[in-house]
Structure formats: C-alpha cells, structure tokens
C-alpha cells in the first residue's frame, strides 16, 4: 500500500476545513488530493468514534459478566470457608 505524503495531524487539519465551510473541491485543489481521497480520509479518520463506542460497550458488557462471576466465586469461597471452620 502506498504511503501517504500527509501525516495524520495534517489529514485531520485538512478534514476540519470542511467543517469551517470550505467546499470539498476547493480543499482538494488546495492540497492537491482527489475528492475520493478526501472522502476515504473522512471515513477512516472521522468515523472510528462510532466503532470505538460499539467496542467500548461490548467490553463493558464483558467486564460486567466477569464481575458477576467473581462475586459468585467469592461468595462460594466464603461459604465453603464458613462450613470448613464450623466442622472443626
């Protein structure tokens, strides 16, 4: 894959120009990039937030399951200790 001549901070700076009201065609002409490149960058650098949110939600769900398992195991361990000490 061909390496971009723009760094990630430069790409983000270019993409932010659209939010300031500049037209995509003018931005692309100014930075000597094609419109498809601009939209690919936009997809790559500005939309991972939604994927990150989904991943975070999945991780939080998994973590809550692990916490539940830990609580159950701790309860079982304490119960077994109590039974063991009562027999002695």
């Amino acid at each position: 894959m061909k390496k971009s001549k723009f760094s990630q901070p430069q790409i983000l700076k270019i993409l932010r120009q659209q939010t300031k009201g500049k037209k995509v065609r003018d931005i692309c002409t100014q930075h000597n990039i094609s419109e498809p490149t601009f939209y690919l960058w936009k997809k790559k650098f500005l939309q991972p937030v939604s994927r990150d949110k989904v991943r975070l939600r999945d991780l939080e769900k998994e973590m809550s399951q692990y916490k539940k398992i830990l609580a159950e195991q701790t309860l079982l361990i304490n119960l077994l200790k109590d039974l063991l000490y009562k027999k002695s």
Side-chain angles (χ1 to χ4, degrees):
M1 186 174 195
K2 185 177 176 184
K3 188 174 190 277
S4 176
K5 62 181 177 181
F6 297 98
S7 65
Q8 185 173 349
Q10 290 172 325
I11 292 171
L12 292 172
K13 187 176 180 180
I14 292 169
L15 292 173
R16 278 191 226 111
Q17 290 179 358
Q18 185 189 22
T19 60
K20 294 179 183 176
K22 279 186 125 180
K23 294 182 180 179
V24 174
R25 179 172 285 147
D26 296 337
I27 296 168
C28 293
T29 303
Q30 180 184 356
H31 296 285
N32 197 23
I33 59 172
S34 67
E35 287 186 39
T37 300
F38 180 86
Y39 288 111
L40 283 173
W41 285 352
K42 189 173 180 179
K43 182 179 179 182
K44 181 178 179 184
F45 291 104
L46 297 182
Q47 292 184 356
V49 174
S50 61
R51 283 186 274 154
D52 290 345
K53 285 182 182 179
V54 170
R55 177 83 173 125
L56 179 61
R57 186 183 65 224
D58 291 343
L59 289 172
E60 287 174 344
K61 183 178 178 182
E62 187 177 347
M63 183 62 125
S64 69
Q65 291 172 344
Y66 288 139
K67 285 181 180 181
K68 183 178 177 183
I69 291 170
L70 178 64
E72 291 171 354
Q73 292 298 318
T74 304
L75 184 63
L76 184 59
I77 289 170
N78 288 336
L79 180 64
L80 291 173
K81 282 182 181 179
D82 287 345
L83 289 174
L84 182 65
Y85 290 126
K86 285 183 181 180
K87 284 188 176 184
S88 299

